[in-house]
Amino acid sequence: MIDILIRVIIFLVAAPILGGLLDGLDRIISARMQGRIGPPLLQPFYDVSKLFQKQTIAVSKSQSLLIQMFFFTQIFTGCLFMAGFDIMLCFFILSTGATFLVFAGAVTHSPYSSMGASRELLQMLSYEPAILMTCLGFYLAAGTFKVEELVLSDYSLIVYLPGFFVAYVFSLTIKMRKSPFDLSTSHHPHQELVKGITTEIGSRNLAFYFITEWYENIFLLGVVALFIINKNPWSILAAVIVVLLICFLETLIDNTSARMKWDKMLTLTWIVTLVSAGTNLLVLMLIK
Amino acid sequence: MAKVKRSPWLLHYDGSSCNGCDIEVLACLTPVYDAERFGIQNTGDPMQADILLITGGINAQNQAVVKQLYDQMPRPKVVVAVGVCACTGGVFKDTYNILGGADTTVPVDIYVPGCAARPQAIIDGIVKAVELFQMHMDNHEEFLKNPDEYMRKNHPEVELKKGDE
Ligand code: SF4
């Protein structure tokens, strides 16, 4: 019980710090890829601390509440994950939380955030199959949904689940709202979509949104690590390396691709999910 | 508190400019000048912006838009007029549809002259604006602590509306 509590507290404190640092690193690497020097590493923290000090203007009364619900559910997901609960449960709560964000965008009635909200729903529709398949894969490979038992398996689960890994990483680009799948909030706001779902979210609410995103990213990368970690403690190091590589890959994809249309995104993700995770599933069912 | 000035987000609005100044504003963000080094971001969203950067003069059609953008920005905020057009109306001053510089519509804090304003001058202007922004921010803290007191002391002429933060 105590060790669960300690893990959760570590997550609560460390996740936003790590998430912010990863965000800063992402911005620096992006800038270098574009031949610029880029902002300081701590820039995301400066941004958030500024946002907390600005006047709060909420377009609709319920907006702040919805953003806070989004904030708490996403953190709760991460806590459950760190406490070693059911991975399926984590993802269901994550998706439930994501709908709060959709509502927060939709209540404002601004054309940009409404468009962002409906696109966010389409994004959920795209990545949800891959994520459910991933849970299923974990169960078939290790015979359990429980995170605390998954990390103690004999071999790294990626050995059984390479196809699932590909599908999951693919859907990670959508989940992290990176180009070419930044349909709901464009990364660079001086575009036709403005800021998409977050257009009408400013000051304190935007700061909450950023912190939530950091927690969410750390949880999602934690699932990447789950593919690697086994009962050998050295596997944690391997997991960290893989996670950093995936982060770099996401930045690279982000900087080298233009935004896709939603129908292309939907077909592409589903095809990748069906082909790679589906084939893996068939093989796994035959050999197990 | 010192952190605040490291993250100024710009909202760039093109009034009736000839686009000369706009191109210089965009040049500030390219690799040569790389304004993101100072945390400066060009956002298109008034709700998230700290500094309103106006190029070009105000005409009858965009006056309402500029006003709206200014009103949508959360306090504290700073307005920078870039180029002589935005400062005074410039070469278009006497045209039938031009009302004048940006200060005919919103309170301008910093004027960046030039036709077109050079990127160096624009970045200088933004740096000045950031200092001013920081000052407003510090006062804003004081203001938030006790709005009535602050307004009575610093702006006795303004009547504080109910619900104002
Ligand atoms: S100041 Fe000169 S360059 Fe700038 S908008 Fe006016 S005419 Fe164009």
Side-chain angles (χ1 to χ4, degrees):
Chain A
M1 194 59 210
I2 292 291
D3 61 322
I4 289 183
L5 210 62
I6 290 172
R7 263 181 290 165
V8 168
I9 289 172
I10 289 179
F11 172 77
L12 285 177
V13 178
I17 297 173
L18 279 178
L21 286 179
L22 278 179
D23 195 10
L25 209 59
D26 174 82
R27 281 173 69 174
I28 292 178
I29 294 175
S30 298
R32 295 291 154 92
M33 284 175 182
Q34 297 160 8
R36 297 185 288 118
I37 294 176
L41 182 64
L42 297 181
Q43 189 61 44
F45 297 106
Y46 300 150
D47 291 349
V48 163
S49 77
K50 175 203 70 182
L51 287 170
F52 268 119
Q53 291 170 49
K54 290 205 75 175
Q55 176 198 18
T56 313
I57 302 180
V59 182
S60 153
K61 272 198 188 120
S62 49
Q63 195 191 35
S64 301
L65 178 72
L66 286 165
I67 292 284
Q68 266 145 36
M69 292 298 281
F70 174 59
F71 178 68
F72 286 119
T73 40
Q74 306 296 310
I75 292 179
F76 188 53
T77 312
C79 291
L80 285 183
F81 181 73
M82 287 313 276
F85 278 97
D86 198 320
I87 180 98
M88 199 81 148
L89 184 68
C90 294
F91 275 118
F92 277 126
I93 295 177
L94 191 78
S95 306
T96 315
T99 48
F100 285 117
L101 179 65
V102 175
F103 281 129
V107 288
T108 59
H109 297 293
S110 134
Y112 301 115
S113 51
S114 306
M115 187 165 68
S118 53
R119 285 182 177 190
E120 179 75 21
L121 285 174
L122 282 165
Q123 285 187 200
M124 286 165 76
L125 193 64
S126 316
Y127 63 68
E128 218 51 60
I131 291 208
L132 288 180
M133 289 285 256
T134 308
C135 297
L136 192 65
F138 278 135
Y139 182 77
L140 285 175
T144 174
F145 279 125
K146 288 212 151 195
V147 176
E148 57 185 356
E149 288 165 26
L150 285 173
V151 293
L152 292 176
S153 45
D154 296 333
Y155 301 103
S156 293
L157 291 171
I158 194 170
V159 178
Y160 300 109
L161 307 170
F164 288 96
F165 186 72
V166 171
Y168 180 75
V169 170
F170 195 88
S171 65
L172 206 59
T173 322
I174 308 179
K175 207 71 190 95
M176 288 179 150
R177 306 189 181 87
K178 294 257 190 210
S179 180
F181 303 124
D182 58 340
L183 278 85
S184 68
T185 80
S186 67
H187 223 60
H188 307 285
H190 43 94
Q191 294 176 352
E192 87 292 351
L193 190 60
V194 191
K195 258 297 204 181
I197 198 166
T198 57
T199 302
E200 302 291 325
I201 300 174
S203 324
R204 210 181 53 219
N205 287 339
L206 189 67
F208 271 121
Y209 170 80
F210 281 137
I211 298 174
T212 316
E213 226 178 17
W214 297 343
Y215 272 111
E216 199 182 347
N217 286 348
I218 291 298
F219 163 70
L220 292 168
L221 292 171
V223 178
V224 172
L226 200 58
F227 276 97
I228 313 293
I229 291 178
N230 55 31
K231 62 176 191 237
N232 184 348
W234 282 104
S235 64
I236 294 178
L237 189 67
V240 170
I241 293 171
V242 170
V243 164
L244 288 178
L245 281 177
I246 296 287
C247 286
F248 180 76
L249 186 70
E250 295 291 346
T251 312
L252 187 68
I253 296 173
D254 190 28
N255 276 290
T256 48
S257 53
R259 190 178 307 138
M260 260 185 193
K261 286 191 174 156
W262 69 268
D263 46 348
K264 270 224 178 114
M265 170 187 72
L266 199 65
T267 29
L268 194 66
T269 337
W270 281 31
I271 286 174
V272 169
T273 307
L274 280 180
V275 172
S276 67
T279 323
N280 199 165
L281 185 70
L282 286 180
V283 175
L284 208 61
M285 282 170 134
L286 283 179
I287 58 167
K288 272 265 174 180
Chain B
M1 252 355 66
K3 305 278 182 294
V4 173
K5 61 176 162 203
R6 298 197 194 174
S7 158
W9 290 2
L10 302 180
L11 172 66
H12 172 202
Y13 182 75
D14 173 2
S16 45
S17 104
C18 74
N19 280 158
C21 284
D22 302 302
I23 288 173
E24 300 302 326
V25 168
L26 292 182
C28 296
L29 304 166
T30 54
V32 180
Y33 302 101
D34 188 20
E36 207 194 355
R37 277 178 300 158
F38 310 115
I40 299 173
Q41 259 187 38
N42 183 13
T43 153
D45 189 347
M47 292 279 291
Q48 302 173 0
D50 308 310
I51 296 174
L52 175 58
L53 211 125
I54 303 180
T55 53
I58 301 293
N59 62 32
Q61 293 209 356
N62 69 24
Q63 188 176 31
V65 180
V66 172
K67 205 160 168 3
Q68 167 110 357
L69 287 177
Y70 180 77
D71 288 341
Q72 279 186 359
M73 286 168 60
R75 257 177 313 176
K77 50 192 163 189
V78 175
V79 181
V80 183
V82 172
V84 274
C85 287
C87 295
T88 63
V91 282
F92 304 114
K93 194 175 171 50
D94 295 327
T95 328
Y96 64 94
N97 60 336
I98 293 286
L99 306 173
D103 48 10
T104 53
T105 307
V106 289
V108 175
D109 300 293
I110 312 276
Y111 295 87
V112 178
C115 176
R118 297 166 68 93
Q120 291 93 323
I122 297 175
I123 292 185
D124 268 358
I126 294 174
V127 169
K128 278 256 157 58
V130 171
E131 275 164 22
L132 192 67
F133 175 65
Q134 175 73 48
M135 215 174 79
H136 281 337
M137 203 70 160
D138 295 342
N139 290 346
H140 189 59
E141 289 271 300
E142 197 187 318
F143 173 73
L144 282 184
K145 252 180 244 146
N146 196 344
D148 288 327
E149 167 93 36
Y150 177 84
M151 289 307 269
R152 225 177 294 125
K153 206 169 76 198
N154 294 300
H155 303 279
E157 73 286 358
V158 184
E159 219 178 287
L160 199 63
K161 274 195 261 88
K162 228 184 159 194
D164 249 13
E165 255 184 285

